[in-house]
Amino acid sequence: MSTNVPTQTGAIAEAPQRGLGRRGRKPISDRAKAERKLGWMLCAPAVVVMIAVTAYPIGYSFYLSLLRADLRFPDQREFIGLDNYVTVLTSSLWWSDFAHTMIIMVISVSIELVLGMLLALIMHRALFGRGLVRTVSLIPYGIVTVVAAYAFLLAFSTPSGGFIPHWLGIEHDLVDQGHPVTSFLVVILAEVWKTTPFMALLLLAGLALVPDELLEAARVDGATAWQRFWRITVPLMKPAILVALLFRTLDAFRIFDSAYIIGQNGTNPKIETVSILGYNQLLNRLNLGLGSAVSVLIFICVMIIALIFIKGLGTSRPGEG
């Protein structure tokens, strides 16, 4: 009797494993094979287009980054390996521009998340004029970034007759090289004003996933408005917050228009970003090798940021924690 128990227990324990094994080796039906083949055929055109417009430029940029390719000296073109990357990464200009980019990205995205959440809650809860509120709040996002940047430059620049220094009684130029703090402030304000509606739009879609019955039940149980927001609304909105933060962080890291225009056509090195550095190397100094190395490094930074967000905030569906 005592010898049979382990045998039976082992047989019972092995049964589910054998079942899983059978399920794992379940042959694919002809219908499933046909559907899989049809899926690949439908995706093929999009994959070919993506390779043509995305993979090829990235691959060619990486190839150029391994060359000494300067259009001013075309006869000196040769393969130099990773020397361009070493030149960029040992340059103080790259790291100062990287710091400028991170400052603009972190501060602007943080402010946009808070303001975007408030705007999304207002648009979600507005009982009267909901359509008008949503339309008016999205107007800044419909304005071209270059136009918005010029508007902020003309508003804050004293030589251009800006009205804000006049209102504040300030005589010096707020966006010149001698005042980097106010120059950063103007760039961040332009970014926040322009893209907060985009953040609010994404968060508004997340708010639609929160059941009103759940919030009402929590309210009946005595939960305060802050407890309902922090312990129910925010966890259920986690995927939408991830998407909004990811999109805006990547976009803010690649900032070019606002910093270039408010920096008076890229002549203010105090607010120069990595995208402006790559632009100057490629189009102003005609150094395709170094410019391509900067572009590849920006691409790697974007990939790292995306991985940090996906690993840090997760990709779980609403309600999975």
Side-chain angles (χ1 to χ4, degrees):
M1 183 66 181
S2 59
T3 57
N4 292 334
V5 172
T7 303
Q8 294 174 357
T9 305
I12 293 172
E14 292 175 3
Q17 297 178 2
R18 289 198 298 269
L20 289 174
R22 285 195 296 270
R23 285 196 296 270
R25 295 191 298 269
K26 184 178 181 180
I28 301 176
S29 64
D30 293 339
R31 179 185 177 88
K33 290 180 180 178
E35 290 179 347
R36 183 175 297 181
K37 183 178 180 181
L38 177 62
W40 280 109
M41 292 176 63
L42 293 175
C43 292
V47 172
V48 171
V49 171
M50 289 189 65
I51 291 174
V53 302
T54 305
Y56 174 74
I58 293 175
Y60 190 63
S61 296
F62 180 72
Y63 167 72
L64 287 177
S65 69
L66 302 178
L67 302 177
R68 178 180 290 116
D70 193 327
L71 293 182
R72 297 169 297 179
F73 312 102
D75 296 335
Q76 298 180 5
R77 183 166 177 155
E78 62 177 338
F79 180 81
I80 57 174
L82 300 176
D83 285 359
N84 285 326
Y85 293 96
V86 174
T87 302
V88 173
L89 293 176
T90 55
S91 169
S92 59
L93 181 59
W94 161 262
W95 292 111
S96 64
D97 289 353
F98 183 81
H100 300 160
T101 306
M102 293 298 292
I103 291 172
I104 295 173
M105 182 190 74
V106 172
I107 297 178
S108 62
V109 173
S110 300
I111 297 174
E112 288 168 19
L113 178 61
V114 176
L115 295 181
M117 181 63 78
L118 292 174
L119 188 58
L121 290 172
I122 292 173
M123 290 191 292
H124 184 67
R125 295 297 180 186
L127 298 178
F128 301 101
R130 177 178 296 182
L132 179 63
V133 171
R134 293 183 179 183
T135 302
V136 171
S137 62
L138 292 175
I139 288 177
Y141 188 65
I143 297 176
V144 179
T145 305
V146 174
V147 176
Y150 268 115
F152 274 80
L153 174 64
L154 297 176
F156 283 89
S157 175
T158 303
S160 301
F163 61 90
I164 291 182
H166 177 68
W167 284 355
L168 299 177
I170 299 174
E171 297 182 355
H172 63 261
D173 190 4
L174 295 175
V175 293
D176 65 3
Q177 298 184 24
H179 302 87
V181 176
T182 52
S183 297
F184 272 116
L185 181 62
V186 175
V187 173
I188 291 170
L189 284 176
E191 283 290 295
V192 170
W193 182 82
K194 174 73 174 61
T195 54
T196 294
F198 177 70
M199 178 78 80
L201 199 62
L202 295 177
L203 296 177
L204 181 63
L207 279 174
L209 301 175
V210 182
D212 292 335
E213 297 80 6
L214 190 59
L215 295 174
E216 181 63 21
R219 190 186 67 79
V220 172
D221 289 341
T224 63
W226 174 252
Q227 289 174 330
R228 296 197 299 272
F229 172 75
W230 189 249
R231 297 185 178 181
I232 297 177
T233 303
V234 171
L236 292 177
M237 288 182 62
K238 189 177 175 182
I241 294 174
L242 168 64
V243 172
L245 281 177
L246 182 60
F247 280 12
R248 272 305 301 141
T249 302
L250 298 182
D251 197 31
F253 185 81
R254 295 179 290 108
I255 180 174
F256 178 84
D257 312 53
S258 300
Y260 185 81
I261 293 171
I262 295 174
Q264 302 179 15
N265 297 328
T267 58
N268 186 352
K270 300 297 182 181
I271 57 173
E272 183 175 287
T273 63
V274 289
S275 295
I276 297 177
L277 175 62
Y279 169 82
N280 287 333
Q281 290 295 333
L282 286 169
L283 299 182
N284 290 336
R285 302 184 181 103
L286 303 179
N287 194 328
L288 301 184
L290 283 177
S292 298
V294 172
S295 300
V296 172
L297 289 174
I298 293 174
F299 176 74
I300 293 173
C301 292
V302 166
M303 295 294 293
I304 292 174
I305 292 172
L307 289 175
I308 290 174
F309 269 95
I310 293 174
K311 292 294 183 182
L313 296 180
T315 57
S316 60
R317 292 174 296 180
E320 289 184 351

